[in-house]
Amino acid sequence: MTHQSAREIQDEATRWVARMDGSEWNDIDEAELGLWLEVDPRRRGALLQAQAAWATLDPLRPANADDAEADAPIDRARTGRRRFLIGGGAAIAASLAGGAFLLDRGTEYGTQIGEIRRVPLADGSTMVINTASLASVDLEEARRLVRIRQGELWFQVAKDSKRPFLVEAGKIRVQAVGTAFAVRRRQAGADITVTEGVVEAWANGAAAPHIRIAAGEHAFLADDAAVVRAPASASSVYRALAWREGKIDLAGVTLADAAAEFNRYNRRQLVIVDPGIARESFDGTLRTDDLEGFAMAVQESLGVPIDLSDPNEIRLGRPRK
């Protein structure tokens, strides 16, 4: 195979991103992309840069926005952005890597309920912001700092040994140099999920040693430094991060937990009116906005009634007398 230049790889990466954004993307395309990525290690970085550039051009909207009239102008805008990205992908990625999209210190980013947002950072890192989340970014000379005010973010961190990447979520601190991980702020601590590399985490002010969390591992670190580790499993980690693709993976979770997860992404809420079914378990993968699909699956599997008549909530089960 002829050795490709960086520009040729970037041009191909932008074409892949445009295809991925189309409505006809399927398993065959996914397999072809995997083969393309395996040929040259530079291609993964190029694809990430192209995805980050696309995120700056594509209009954002909540994942559960399904108004037909709103879709038409968004689709037209997406087509125009796809052409623009293909035509100037290498230049966009180069300017991104060079700092053209610089962030001011203390820049804040947030998402609405149901919205999932990808944000490229000036250091070459990328962060994906989950539903109803808020965070601020400071890119300083000695460190890169993200403060999570609420919600959950996933980070693909560009390597820079002179500037460690630090995430603050309440009292919890998570530090990495070049890796990929997610942090979800909880009321009394934070969930930490690592997809690449290793991170170091600790509870600020607590007299406890730092802990290390490696790829394929998940842990909850409490504000008092108590640690709850889940069994190491790369598949479970990626299932937990299915939200990055606008999906919820219900791998043996209870109905109560599944309803709570769906409710994070939707203004219309799932309500379990029969507590006797709350601990029933479910498997499957659904879109974050597919409340009715989930409700009908509950109806079919448990043989219980559902009520879809209220635009503000979906009621599951028959209330006990």
Side-chain angles (χ1 to χ4, degrees):
M1 174 182 171
T2 305
H3 182 76
Q4 288 183 298
S5 68
R7 175 156 190 161
E8 289 172 331
I9 291 176
Q10 193 63 61
D11 284 343
E12 288 185 2
T14 57
R15 285 192 286 271
W16 275 112
V17 172
R19 283 178 61 184
M20 292 166 69
D21 191 64
S23 60
E24 298 180 356
W25 182 264
N26 54 41
D27 291 341
I28 296 176
D29 295 315
E30 191 75 32
E32 290 179 359
L33 174 60
L35 293 173
W36 181 78
L37 290 171
E38 290 177 1
V39 172
D40 190 322
R42 295 177 297 168
R43 290 179 174 179
R44 291 187 180 275
L47 188 69
L48 286 172
Q49 286 189 334
Q51 288 174 321
W54 176 256
T56 67
L57 299 172
D58 199 23
L60 299 170
R61 67 188 186 113
N64 58 358
D66 56 3
D67 186 271
E69 293 183 0
D71 283 346
I74 289 175
D75 289 342
R76 287 194 294 271
R78 181 175 290 117
T79 300
R81 283 162 173 76
R82 186 182 297 116
R83 289 177 183 147
F84 180 67
L85 181 60
I86 292 174
I92 292 173
S95 65
L96 177 64
F101 297 100
L102 290 175
L103 300 176
D104 295 331
R105 292 191 173 186
T107 299
E108 289 198 340
Y109 291 90
T111 52
Q112 301 174 7
I113 294 175
E115 181 184 7
I116 299 171
R117 183 179 182 186
R118 286 177 170 79
V119 177
L121 303 183
D123 67 332
S125 301
T126 300
M127 62 184 188
V128 183
I129 311 172
N130 203 356
T131 178
S133 299
L134 180 64
S136 64
V137 177
D138 286 276
L139 299 183
E140 304 169 355
E141 292 185 5
R143 67 174 182 177
R144 298 164 287 173
L145 174 64
V146 177
R147 292 186 175 92
I148 300 179
R149 315 293 187 188
Q150 67 181 49
E152 180 177 18
L153 287 85
W154 177 81
F155 306 93
Q156 180 78 53
V157 181
K159 291 184 179 180
D160 187 344
S161 59
K162 297 180 180 179
R163 290 197 304 167
F165 195 98
L166 179 66
V167 176
E168 295 183 0
K171 293 184 178 181
I172 304 306
R173 306 290 185 267
V174 184
Q175 182 169 299
V177 173
T179 185
F181 62 100
V183 179
R184 179 180 177 184
R185 184 173 179 178
R186 299 278 193 173
Q187 185 174 1
D191 289 322
I192 304 164
T193 305
V194 181
T195 52
E196 293 179 20
V198 180
V199 302
E200 188 174 76
W202 66 95
N204 194 42
H210 295 192
I211 65 171
R212 290 170 66 84
I213 307 170
E217 294 181 342
H218 168 85
F220 171 77
L221 179 58
D223 290 342
D224 63 1
V227 182
V228 178
R229 290 183 181 268
S233 169
S235 60
S236 64
V237 163
Y238 282 101
R239 284 197 301 270
L241 297 176
W243 60 264
R244 295 176 299 172
E245 300 175 359
K247 299 177 182 178
I248 294 176
D249 193 312
L250 306 175
V253 303
T254 65
L255 177 58
D257 288 341
E261 192 67 11
F262 273 105
N263 288 343
R264 292 177 63 197
Y265 296 90
N266 297 276
R267 297 190 183 280
R268 192 182 189 188
Q269 299 283 281
L270 293 168
V271 178
I272 302 173
V273 296
D274 179 0
I277 64 174
R279 297 189 65 82
E280 295 288 342
S281 63
F282 284 84
D283 289 283
T285 303
L286 291 90
R287 296 194 320 272
T288 56
D289 62 345
D290 193 9
L291 288 174
E292 293 194 4
F294 174 68
M296 287 186 286
V298 171
Q299 181 183 48
E300 182 177 347
S301 61
L302 298 183
V304 298
I306 60 174
D307 184 355
L308 306 175
S309 62
D310 192 327
N312 297 314
E313 64 181 33
I314 295 176
R315 300 171 70 81
L316 308 175
R318 181 180 292 104
R320 292 186 174 181
K321 297 181 180 179

